[in-house]
Amino acid sequence: MTAELKKYLLEHCRAWMLPEEIRALTRIGLTKYGEETDRKLALVEPKIEAMYGFADEKTNQLVEMGKERLEIRIAERLLKDSGDTIINNCPKCGKLTRTPKAKQCRYCKHDWH
Ligand SMILES: [Zn+2]
């Protein structure tokens, strides 16, 4: 998988991610201090727990993989399960667009609005 495709999947395809994947990415982006703070808050605040999933086994397993492996795993799953829907290639030159809903190509400037 190219770095460009991985970035596209992780940054623009959240709508196709599983709840535990989004929670794991949110948590893995936190600093150690931030995670400790939020873990305490999550114990008494259901909304925080829903966002970070500290008590959710699936989320915890994903977080334990570490950032690098987690990102690749999510990107590969998205491609396998939803690739046909989310990969938006330019109809003219066939290259990957910037987002799943883009209607303009950043390479050849083709516009299909
Ligand atoms: Zn193009």
Side-chain angles (χ1 to χ4, degrees):
M1 180 178 304
T2 62
E4 183 194 21
L5 180 57
K6 191 177 125 189
K7 188 173 179 322
Y8 175 94
L9 291 165
L10 291 171
E11 290 184 6
H12 299 292
C13 304
R14 289 221 160 198
W16 291 272
M17 284 183 196
L18 300 169
E20 63 265 27
E21 289 174 342
I22 291 172
R23 286 194 291 253
L25 282 176
T26 304
R27 255 167 68 187
I28 227 150
L30 296 172
T31 61
K32 189 165 178 266
Y33 175 75
E35 180 168 344
E36 282 171 0
T37 303
D38 290 314
R39 191 191 299 273
K40 276 178 205 150
L41 259 175
L43 293 173
V44 292
E45 182 52 70
K47 270 191 213 152
I48 305 271
E49 171 55 27
M51 194 186 294
Y52 295 107
F54 290 109
D56 181 61
E57 192 51 37
K58 280 188 196 161
T59 304
N60 290 336
Q61 280 174 3
L62 291 174
V63 171
E64 277 169 22
M65 296 173 74
K67 189 168 189 283
E68 199 75 8
R69 283 172 58 216
L70 174 69
E71 288 186 350
I72 289 169
R73 186 192 144 123
I74 294 175
E76 283 177 346
R77 190 200 61 76
L78 285 171
L79 207 54
K80 186 167 140 288
D81 294 352
S82 319
D84 292 347
T85 322
I86 56 187
I87 296 303
N88 180 15
N89 287 325
C90 169
K92 196 173 169 200
C93 73
K95 286 185 178 161
L96 186 65
T97 58
R98 213 178 293 271
T99 74
K101 288 183 179 158
K103 290 188 183 321
Q104 196 174 2
C105 178
R106 65 179 133 167
Y107 296 103
C108 72
K109 309 299 175 201
H110 180 56
D111 189 321
W112 57 99
H113 277 92

